[in-house]
Amino acid sequence: MIETQPLIALIHAVPSGARIAQDAFAREFPEARIWNLLDDRLLDDARTANGLDGALRRRMLRLIANAVESGARGVLLTCSSYGEVVDTARTLWTVPILKSDESMFRTALSGPHDRIAVAASTPPAVPAAAAQLDALMAETRGTRPVHITTALSEQAAAADGPQETARHLADALAATGARDIQSVLLAQYSLAFAGRALADLLHLPVLDGAAAAARDLRARLLGDRSTAAVPA
Protein backbone atom coordinates (compact mmCIF):
# COMPACT_ATOMS: atom_id res chain seq x y z
CA MET A 1 0.00 0.00 0.00
CA ILE A 2 1.28 3.47 -0.92
CA GLU A 3 1.53 5.81 2.08
CA THR A 4 -0.35 8.99 1.19
CA GLN A 5 1.44 11.29 3.66
CA PRO A 6 4.96 9.90 4.00
CA LEU A 7 7.34 11.30 6.58
CA ILE A 8 10.39 12.88 4.93
CA ALA A 9 13.48 13.76 6.96
CA LEU A 10 15.53 16.73 5.80
CA ILE A 11 18.99 16.81 7.36
CA HIS A 12 20.54 20.29 7.37
CA ALA A 13 23.90 21.81 8.18
CA VAL A 14 22.71 25.43 7.94
CA PRO A 15 19.31 27.02 8.73
CA SER A 16 19.07 28.62 5.27
CA GLY A 17 19.14 25.16 3.70
CA ALA A 18 16.20 24.18 5.88
CA ARG A 19 14.06 27.09 4.69
CA ILE A 20 14.83 26.49 1.02
CA ALA A 21 14.14 22.76 1.22
CA GLN A 22 10.89 23.28 3.12
CA ASP A 23 9.66 25.76 0.50
CA ALA A 24 10.54 23.31 -2.29
CA PHE A 25 8.68 20.43 -0.64
CA ALA A 26 5.66 22.64 0.03
CA ARG A 27 5.46 23.31 -3.71
CA GLU A 28 6.54 19.99 -5.18
CA PHE A 29 5.57 17.40 -2.57
CA PRO A 30 2.80 18.93 -0.45
CA GLU A 31 1.60 15.52 0.69
CA ALA A 32 4.82 14.94 2.63
CA ARG A 33 5.12 15.41 6.37
CA ILE A 34 8.44 17.18 6.86
CA TRP A 35 10.84 16.49 9.71
CA ASN A 36 13.80 18.88 9.92
CA LEU A 37 17.00 17.69 11.58
CA LEU A 38 19.57 20.49 12.00
CA ASP A 39 23.15 20.13 13.21
CA ASP A 40 24.58 23.61 12.70
CA ARG A 41 28.11 22.53 13.68
CA LEU A 42 28.50 20.13 10.76
CA LEU A 43 30.15 22.58 8.36
CA ASP A 44 32.36 24.28 10.94
CA ASP A 45 33.58 20.95 12.25
CA ALA A 46 34.27 19.70 8.73
CA ARG A 47 36.33 22.84 8.02
CA THR A 48 38.27 22.33 11.26
CA ALA A 49 38.93 18.71 10.31
CA ASN A 50 39.89 19.78 6.78
CA GLY A 51 37.25 17.48 5.36
CA LEU A 52 35.17 14.57 6.55
CA ASP A 53 36.97 12.39 9.04
CA GLY A 54 35.68 9.16 10.54
CA ALA A 55 34.00 10.90 13.46
CA LEU A 56 32.05 13.25 11.21
CA ARG A 57 30.95 10.43 8.91
CA ARG A 58 29.70 8.45 11.91
CA ARG A 59 27.92 11.57 13.21
CA MET A 60 26.02 11.99 9.94
CA LEU A 61 25.20 8.29 9.86
CA ARG A 62 23.72 8.62 13.36
CA LEU A 63 21.49 11.45 12.13
CA ILE A 64 20.34 9.33 9.19
CA ALA A 65 19.81 6.33 11.49
CA ASN A 66 17.68 8.44 13.82
CA ALA A 67 15.54 9.55 10.89
CA VAL A 68 15.07 6.12 9.32
CA GLU A 69 14.60 4.22 12.56
CA SER A 70 12.03 6.79 13.71
CA GLY A 71 9.86 6.23 10.66
CA ALA A 72 11.14 8.46 7.85
CA ARG A 73 10.15 7.07 4.45
CA GLY A 74 12.75 9.17 2.66
CA VAL A 75 15.80 11.24 3.62
CA LEU A 76 17.42 14.24 1.92
CA LEU A 77 20.79 15.65 2.96
CA THR A 78 20.63 19.34 2.05
CA CYS A 79 24.37 19.88 2.58
CA SER A 80 26.53 18.78 -0.36
CA SER A 81 29.63 18.50 1.85
CA TYR A 82 28.28 15.32 3.44
CA GLY A 83 27.00 13.74 0.25
CA GLU A 84 29.57 10.97 0.21
CA VAL A 85 28.09 9.55 3.44
CA VAL A 86 24.94 8.69 1.47
CA ASP A 87 26.82 5.94 -0.38
CA THR A 88 27.46 4.21 2.95
CA ALA A 89 23.94 4.88 4.23
CA ARG A 90 22.42 3.13 1.22
CA THR A 91 24.17 -0.08 2.18
CA LEU A 92 22.54 0.09 5.63
CA TRP A 93 18.95 1.15 4.90
CA THR A 94 16.54 0.57 2.04
CA VAL A 95 14.50 3.80 2.17
CA PRO A 96 15.44 6.44 -0.45
CA ILE A 97 18.35 8.53 0.85
CA LEU A 98 19.35 11.39 -1.46
CA LYS A 99 22.36 13.63 -1.81
CA SER A 100 21.54 17.32 -2.03
CA ASP A 101 21.80 17.75 -5.82
CA GLU A 102 21.72 14.17 -7.04
CA SER A 103 18.14 14.27 -8.33
CA MET A 104 18.80 17.49 -10.24
CA PHE A 105 21.88 16.03 -11.93
CA ARG A 106 20.08 12.78 -12.80
CA THR A 107 17.13 14.70 -14.24
CA ALA A 108 19.43 16.85 -16.38
CA LEU A 109 21.57 13.98 -17.64
CA SER A 110 18.67 11.66 -18.40
CA GLY A 111 16.82 14.35 -20.33
CA PRO A 112 17.11 15.34 -24.00
CA HIS A 113 19.48 18.27 -23.57
CA ASP A 114 23.13 17.90 -24.59
CA ARG A 115 24.32 21.44 -23.74
CA ILE A 116 23.91 22.04 -20.02
CA ALA A 117 25.22 24.90 -17.88
CA VAL A 118 25.97 24.91 -14.17
CA ALA A 119 25.71 28.29 -12.41
CA ALA A 120 27.26 29.01 -9.00
CA SER A 121 28.02 31.94 -6.73
CA THR A 122 30.78 30.38 -4.60
CA PRO A 123 34.00 28.92 -6.04
CA PRO A 124 33.89 25.51 -4.29
CA ALA A 125 30.47 24.77 -5.76
CA VAL A 126 31.79 24.62 -9.32
CA PRO A 127 34.24 21.68 -9.03
CA ALA A 128 31.86 19.91 -6.65
CA ALA A 129 29.05 20.03 -9.22
CA ALA A 130 31.37 19.04 -12.06
CA ALA A 131 32.63 16.04 -10.08
CA GLN A 132 29.10 14.81 -9.35
CA LEU A 133 28.08 15.20 -12.98
CA ASP A 134 31.13 13.25 -14.10
CA ALA A 135 30.38 10.49 -11.59
CA LEU A 136 26.81 10.12 -12.86
CA MET A 137 27.59 10.55 -16.54
CA ALA A 138 28.17 6.95 -17.61
CA GLU A 139 25.40 5.55 -15.41
CA THR A 140 22.75 8.08 -16.42
CA ARG A 141 23.79 9.32 -19.84
CA GLY A 142 25.21 6.20 -21.41
CA THR A 143 27.07 6.96 -24.62
CA ARG A 144 25.10 10.09 -25.47
CA PRO A 145 27.47 13.08 -25.55
CA VAL A 146 26.86 16.12 -23.36
CA HIS A 147 28.71 19.41 -23.08
CA ILE A 148 28.85 20.97 -19.60
CA THR A 149 29.54 24.69 -19.17
CA THR A 150 30.26 26.12 -15.71
CA ALA A 151 29.75 29.76 -14.76
CA LEU A 152 30.69 31.49 -11.50
CA SER A 153 29.34 34.84 -10.30
CA GLU A 154 30.47 35.76 -6.82
CA GLN A 155 28.48 38.98 -7.23
CA ALA A 156 25.33 36.88 -7.23
CA ALA A 157 26.06 35.81 -3.66
CA ALA A 158 25.68 39.39 -2.44
CA ALA A 159 22.90 40.44 -4.79
CA ASP A 160 19.71 42.02 -3.49
CA GLY A 161 16.76 39.86 -4.49
CA PRO A 162 16.04 37.24 -7.13
CA GLN A 163 16.04 39.59 -10.13
CA GLU A 164 19.49 40.99 -9.41
CA THR A 165 20.82 37.53 -8.58
CA ALA A 166 19.46 36.21 -11.85
CA ARG A 167 21.06 39.07 -13.82
CA HIS A 168 24.48 38.35 -12.32
CA LEU A 169 24.16 34.65 -13.10
CA ALA A 170 23.00 35.41 -16.65
CA ASP A 171 25.99 37.72 -17.16
CA ALA A 172 28.34 35.00 -15.91
CA LEU A 173 26.79 32.47 -18.28
CA ALA A 174 27.13 34.89 -21.20
CA ALA A 175 30.77 35.55 -20.30
CA THR A 176 31.64 31.87 -20.78
CA GLY A 177 31.02 32.28 -24.50
CA ALA A 178 28.95 29.10 -24.55
CA ARG A 179 26.35 29.02 -27.29
CA ASP A 180 22.98 27.35 -27.46
CA ILE A 181 22.75 26.36 -23.79
CA GLN A 182 19.58 24.31 -23.35
CA SER A 183 19.18 24.19 -19.57
CA VAL A 184 20.78 25.59 -16.43
CA LEU A 185 21.49 23.85 -13.13
CA LEU A 186 21.84 25.89 -9.93
CA ALA A 187 24.81 24.52 -8.00
CA GLN A 188 23.66 25.74 -4.58
CA TYR A 189 20.41 25.68 -2.64
CA SER A 190 21.02 29.34 -1.79
CA LEU A 191 20.39 30.25 -5.45
CA ALA A 192 17.04 28.48 -5.72
CA PHE A 193 15.05 31.62 -4.98
CA ALA A 194 16.37 33.14 -8.23
CA GLY A 195 15.55 30.14 -10.41
CA ARG A 196 12.27 31.45 -11.79
CA ALA A 197 13.75 34.88 -12.54
CA LEU A 198 16.71 33.29 -14.32
CA ALA A 199 14.43 31.04 -16.36
CA ASP A 200 12.38 34.04 -17.44
CA LEU A 201 15.51 36.02 -18.29
CA LEU A 202 17.13 33.27 -20.37
CA HIS A 203 13.94 31.62 -21.65
CA LEU A 204 15.43 28.28 -20.58
CA PRO A 205 14.53 25.61 -18.02
CA VAL A 206 16.38 26.15 -14.74
CA LEU A 207 16.66 23.32 -12.21
CA ASP A 208 17.51 23.52 -8.52
CA GLY A 209 18.48 20.69 -6.22
CA ALA A 210 15.78 21.03 -3.57
CA ALA A 211 12.85 21.07 -6.00
CA ALA A 212 14.31 18.18 -8.02
CA ALA A 213 14.76 16.12 -4.84
CA ALA A 214 11.19 16.80 -3.75
CA ARG A 215 9.82 15.69 -7.13
CA ASP A 216 12.06 12.61 -7.09
CA LEU A 217 10.91 11.51 -3.63
CA ARG A 218 7.28 12.17 -4.52
CA ALA A 219 7.62 9.97 -7.60
CA ARG A 220 9.31 7.18 -5.65
CA LEU A 221 6.97 7.18 -2.70
CA LEU A 222 3.63 8.00 -4.30
CA GLY A 223 4.27 6.12 -7.52
CA ASP A 224 3.62 9.18 -9.69
CA ARG A 225 6.49 9.75 -12.07
CA SER A 226 4.67 12.35 -14.14
CA THR A 227 6.24 15.10 -12.01
CA ALA A 228 9.74 13.62 -11.71
CA ALA A 229 11.42 15.52 -14.52
CA VAL A 230 9.58 18.84 -14.39
CA PRO A 231 12.12 21.70 -14.23
CA ALA A 232 11.99 24.28 -11.49
Side-chain angles (χ1 to χ4, degrees):
M1 178 180 294
I2 295 176
E3 187 176 353
T4 58
Q5 292 184 305
L7 179 65
I8 304 297
L10 308 178
I11 300 180
H12 315 289
V14 292
S16 60
R19 291 191 296 272
I20 291 163
Q22 287 174 115
D23 288 346
F25 274 79
R27 292 192 312 272
E28 307 291 348
F29 193 175
E31 302 91 343
R33 293 177 294 129
I34 299 301
W35 178 15
N36 293 287
L37 301 174
L38 171 66
D39 181 344
D40 61 6
R41 289 293 311 172
L42 284 169
L43 283 182
D44 286 342
D45 290 348
R47 293 189 188 105
T48 300
N50 197 30
L52 299 189
D53 58 15
L56 287 173
R57 289 186 178 88
R58 290 190 295 273
R59 183 160 136 199
M60 177 56 76
L61 286 172
R62 286 195 295 271
L63 286 170
I64 297 172
N66 181 35
V68 175
E69 293 167 9
S70 297
R73 305 302 300 154
V75 179
L76 171 65
L77 274 62
T78 65
C79 176
S80 59
S81 298
Y82 280 79
E84 66 182 71
V85 179
V86 170
D87 296 325
T88 301
R90 287 173 176 164
T91 69
L92 302 174
W93 300 285
T94 58
V95 304
I97 303 172
L98 302 183
K99 303 175 185 180
S100 60
D101 294 320
E102 179 180 15
S103 299
M104 175 180 69
F105 293 140
R106 287 186 181 277
T107 296
L109 291 173
S110 62
H113 298 154
D114 55 19
R115 294 182 297 279
I116 299 170
V118 176
S121 64
T122 61
V126 176
Q132 289 187 67
L133 282 164
D134 285 343
L136 289 170
M137 195 79 71
E139 173 190 345
T140 308
R141 192 76 181 182
T143 59
R144 290 183 298 144
V146 61
H147 178 73
I148 306 294
T149 298
T150 59
L152 171 66
S153 172
E154 294 184 80
Q155 291 174 304
D160 184 17
Q163 299 295 335
E164 184 180 347
T165 301
R167 283 196 296 273
H168 285 306
L169 293 174
D171 289 345
L173 288 164
T176 67
R179 296 178 178 270
D180 301 323
I181 291 171
Q182 296 168 310
S183 62
V184 178
L185 314 183
L186 298 176
Q188 302 143 242
Y189 276 28
S190 60
L191 297 175
F193 79 116
R196 183 65 63 188
L198 184 60
D200 291 343
L201 194 60
L202 299 177
H203 305 291
L204 294 173
V206 175
L207 281 72
D208 73 87
R215 287 192 293 269
D216 188 358
L217 284 172
R218 186 179 190 278
R220 295 186 192 214
L221 297 174
L222 299 188
D224 177 10
R225 294 203 165 268
S226 64
T227 61
V230 177

